Amino acid sequence: MLLLVVQVDDHPAWLDAVQLARGLTDDVHAVLFDASRADELAKQGIKAAHVVEHDVLSDYAPEAYGEALAQLVGELQPSGVLAVGSEKGNEVMAHLAARMRAPFAANCTQISGTGRPWLITRIRGGGMLLEDAEMDAGCGVFTVQPGAGTGAETPSTVDQVDVRRFTPDLRDELARTRVIERTEREAGVSLATADVVVSGGRGVGSAEGYRVLEELAELLGGAVGCSRVATNNGWRPHSDQVGLTGTKVAPKLYIACGISGATQHWVGCMDAKAILAINTDPDAPMVTRSTYSVIGDLHEVLPAVIAEIRARNASAGTSG
Amino acid sequence: MSLDVLVCVKRVPAPGAKVPLTEDGRDIDTRHLGFTIGPHEECAVEEAVRLKERHGGSATVLAVGPPEVAEQVRYAIAMGADRGVVVDTGQDELDPQATAAAIVHALGELDARFDLIMFGNESADAGHYQVGVRVATELGWPIVGGIKGIEVTDGGVRLRREIADGSEVYQLSLPAAVAVKEGLNLPRYPSLPGRLKAKKAKLDTISWQPPPGGLRKIRLRQPEEKRADSVLLGHGPEAAPAVVDVLEELGVC
């Protein structure tokens, strides 16, 4: 039996984890920290759900989550435990593995084998490289890289999910790493979820140089992003940074202005459905890896693009 | 309140546009690459130096690996750390359980006690997301990851973490551990006096072979790139109509 931790931070990629788990066995049980999600599990072919309940788990608390899972694993003796390779998915599974003193493979794209050993493929450097590895573990601890599944549903024969309660024995001390305060982000287009990201790098040249990118982003209802060079030069806040150590984006269109395309940046934007590179250097990696490219100075190209959009909008407006 | 802070850093290749692999695919071909401290960990070093400057205490930097990791430890000293520790395991890349074991072993050997241990959220090359958690668990210390803000409070640290729809705050009593992310601060470039001090600094070396963990790398591969050749829309501002045609086709305009 495989245990699938559905709920750490409600990441939509839990369906990728379902697919990898169902690829190994039909005997998949879910772990929930809130029973309300149980209804979604039957059509994913998940037979049973273990709802973990305890006062210490009143809000996200990585140590307590890890300890609760370790106790559940002790009781159920699954052959493996999977979660989504989100930031918190990786954090909780690291706590679980540390408590079990077991190995843990993060951000897997493939899992096969039976434990002696498990054969896995995982991503390194945010997707710069793939690593094939062996893992010796009675109970394998894995997280699944978002996007690792094909998106296809695995047929289900489960009508009714068997919902069971599990109350771990948690010391009050484990509340020491629980969230004590939350602040909601202000409304507006977020970099992570925008349909269009207008992103600038070294070629923008200055903080003021981003005005034209902001203007285009606003016109397209998108967000402004930047490369690490821009953050390090103090041109943009780190919250705008796209890349391995910034935000990973997957918009419909990523417009890379004056960005050469170092690997650290590429892994942050490679999941975009289309990339338009605007660069003076036709041999820049971002240009050669892009879907569309314009060779030229972004400070000349972008104003012309903005003028063209305005002109078309205006003529569409007057013609009806 | 003064703080004695330990920062754990990893020596990682500094890749450019492609990551070259050795012929047998077992490793990154680093013959033509430089090495660096990962961005998250560089921020951790900067934060440790700032905490010392603001509150007093000390900043120690530790790296695990072959003797060459001294280069990254010296860089951290050039940024302002007081003391450097090399845990010489003789090996290039350990699995994360072995790395954590080496750090825990070194903590037992050092004649220093720390209030706060800082890690990068994940290493820039392997990205196992677990060494800090394993060390903290062995020590029995609290740890939280993904941290982009640290404030020293009475007897503890107040930590800020950014999440998709806002931010979270955690309050830990000391001693504690924290795994930080880039954006915590803007790291300084080492000064010339800092570089000189780093060059002369005597590093503590602890030689130890940790037992291997359960995760064994077999080989590395380049991911497939799905994109076809780039469609050139034009040169300079004359390309604007073609660009807007594409925006309309993609339904974003």
Side-chain angles (χ1 to χ4, degrees):
Chain A
M1 184 267 280
L2 286 176
L3 257 188
L4 178 70
V5 185
V6 169
Q7 219 176 9
V8 173
D9 48 4
D10 286 324
H11 199 289
W14 75 279
L15 292 172
D16 293 315
V18 171
Q19 210 182 358
L20 260 68
R22 296 276 319 275
L24 287 162
T25 175
D26 271 338
D27 194 9
V28 179
H29 290 200
V31 183
L32 297 175
F33 290 92
D34 165 4
S36 69
R37 294 285 297 275
D39 298 344
E40 303 164 48
L41 303 174
K43 72 168 191 244
Q44 301 301 333
I46 294 172
K47 293 177 172 172
H50 303 271
V51 181
V52 181
E53 295 175 325
H54 196 285
D55 288 347
V56 170
L57 305 171
S58 60
D59 202 334
Y60 180 66
E63 284 182 288
Y65 273 49
E67 174 61 25
L69 286 176
Q71 291 180 17
L72 186 61
V73 165
E75 184 161 307
L76 300 174
Q77 300 286 323
S79 56
V81 191
L82 292 87
V84 177
S86 60
E87 184 176 291
K88 286 183 176 171
N90 281 331
E91 182 173 43
V92 167
M93 297 303 258
H95 278 281
L96 168 64
R99 280 158 199 276
M100 292 167 61
R101 295 204 163 119
F104 159 42
N107 303 96
C108 299
T109 56
Q110 285 171 13
I111 304 170
S112 60
T114 51
R116 298 284 175 195
W118 296 94
L119 300 173
I120 56 138
T121 301
R122 58 182 299 273
I123 65 153
R124 290 169 64 106
M128 284 181 206
L129 292 174
L130 295 172
E131 171 185 354
D132 296 324
E134 283 182 342
M135 191 164 92
D136 271 324
C139 174
V141 180
F142 311 96
T143 60
V144 174
Q145 172 65 12
T150 55
E153 274 196 22
T154 318
S156 166
T157 53
V158 177
D159 297 324
Q160 183 80 40
V161 182
D162 174 12
V163 179
R164 305 171 199 172
R165 314 264 154 193
F166 176 74
T167 306
D169 177 18
L170 302 178
R171 287 169 292 126
D172 289 345
E173 190 203 43
L174 290 169
R176 64 190 182 173
T177 47
R178 190 170 59 202
V179 173
I180 59 163
E181 251 176 71
R182 281 177 187 282
T183 317
E184 300 264 307
R185 201 175 58 84
E186 285 170 40
V189 183
S190 101
L191 179 59
T193 57
D195 272 347
V196 183
V197 175
V198 184
S199 201
R202 191 186 300 274
V204 179
S206 65
E208 299 72 47
Y210 279 84
R211 274 195 207 125
V212 65
L213 279 79
E214 284 167 356
E215 199 180 338
L216 179 60
E218 198 176 327
L219 209 50
L220 300 176
V224 172
C226 70
S227 71
R228 192 156 179 259
V229 174
T231 319
N232 283 352
N233 284 335
W235 298 343
R236 299 298 293 184
H238 185 272
S239 52
D240 282 359
Q241 186 179 313
V242 172
L244 175 63
T245 50
T247 302
K248 288 185 189 172
V249 299
K252 283 188 190 164
L253 177 64
Y254 188 75
I255 307 181
C257 309
I259 297 177
S260 66
T263 345
Q264 122 94 255
H265 186 78
W266 176 252
V267 297
C269 67
M270 64 183 180
D271 292 331
K273 293 188 187 57
I275 294 178
L276 164 62
I278 302 172
N279 209 298
T280 52
D281 176 7
D283 298 321
M286 185 55 89
V287 174
T288 57
R289 287 169 143 177
S290 68
T291 329
Y292 306 99
S293 50
V294 173
I295 307 308
D297 183 345
L298 69 100
H299 289 295
E300 292 171 12
V301 176
L302 290 185
V305 170
I306 289 166
E308 178 72 20
I309 295 171
R310 291 227 160 95
R312 291 193 196 186
N313 286 351
S315 75
T318 51
S319 63
Chain B
M1 184 180 67
S2 76
L3 285 178
D4 292 313
V5 183
L6 175 71
V7 186
C8 297
V9 301
K10 183 177 182 186
R11 172 181 169 88
V12 294
K18 282 270 180 185
V19 188
L21 296 180
T22 55
E23 262 174 43
D24 63 4
R26 290 186 63 86
D27 239 316
I28 297 176
D29 182 354
T30 54
R31 284 173 303 171
H32 307 292
L33 292 179
F35 287 87
T36 183
I37 297 175
H40 295 325
E41 291 154 22
E42 200 180 331
C43 287
V45 173
E46 174 66 32
E47 196 70 13
V49 172
R50 288 187 193 185
L51 287 172
K52 179 190 74 167
E53 289 168 351
R54 210 168 300 151
H55 302 281
S58 64
T60 302
V61 171
L62 176 150
V64 175
E68 290 79 19
V69 301
E71 182 190 345
Q72 279 61 50
V73 172
R74 287 190 194 279
Y75 186 86
I77 293 174
M79 286 174 69
D82 305 291
R83 180 178 178 191
V85 181
V86 171
V87 186
D88 179 1
T89 59
Q91 300 167 58
D92 260 349
E93 190 180 321
L94 298 170
D95 88 281
Q97 286 174 288
T99 304
I103 294 169
V104 171
H105 174 83
L107 286 168
E109 297 283 302
L110 288 174
D111 58 350
R113 292 290 165 265
F114 301 101
D115 303 300
L116 184 66
I117 304 184
M118 296 173 74
F119 299 88
N121 196 60
E122 81 280 358
S123 64
D125 58 347
H128 288 298
Y129 289 86
Q130 57 191 273
V131 170
V133 169
R134 288 187 188 276
V135 172
T137 303
E138 288 301 320
L139 298 175
W141 291 15
I143 182 167
V144 180
I147 296 305
K148 283 198 186 177
I150 300 179
E151 199 186 310
V152 176
T153 58
D154 197 17
V157 280
R158 190 178 158 88
L159 308 172
R160 186 177 54 79
R161 176 180 206 160
E162 283 172 22
I163 55 170
D165 52 0
S167 62
E168 296 173 344
V169 173
Y170 302 81
Q171 170 75 44
L172 307 189
S173 302
L174 299 175
V178 55
V180 304
K181 291 179 79 168
E182 189 183 44
L184 174 67
N185 52 46
L186 197 54
R188 71 193 72 188
Y189 289 105
S191 63
L192 189 59
R195 284 182 187 280
L196 290 172
K197 183 186 125 194
K199 211 173 154 185
K200 286 190 214 139
K202 190 178 172 316
L203 308 181
D204 293 307
T205 299
I206 296 167
S207 296
W208 193 63
Q209 285 277 345
L215 189 63
R216 276 186 312 281
K217 178 173 74 181
I218 301 168
R219 63 173 188 145
L220 301 178
R221 289 184 282 138
Q222 303 280 2
E224 262 177 58
E225 292 207 26
K226 39 185 186 250
R227 249 171 259 279
D229 285 349
S230 180
V231 177
L232 178 65
L233 299 178
H235 288 79
E238 288 75 39
V243 169
V244 181
D245 287 347
V246 165
L247 297 180
E248 287 178 348
E249 247 172 68
L250 295 171
V252 297
C253 174

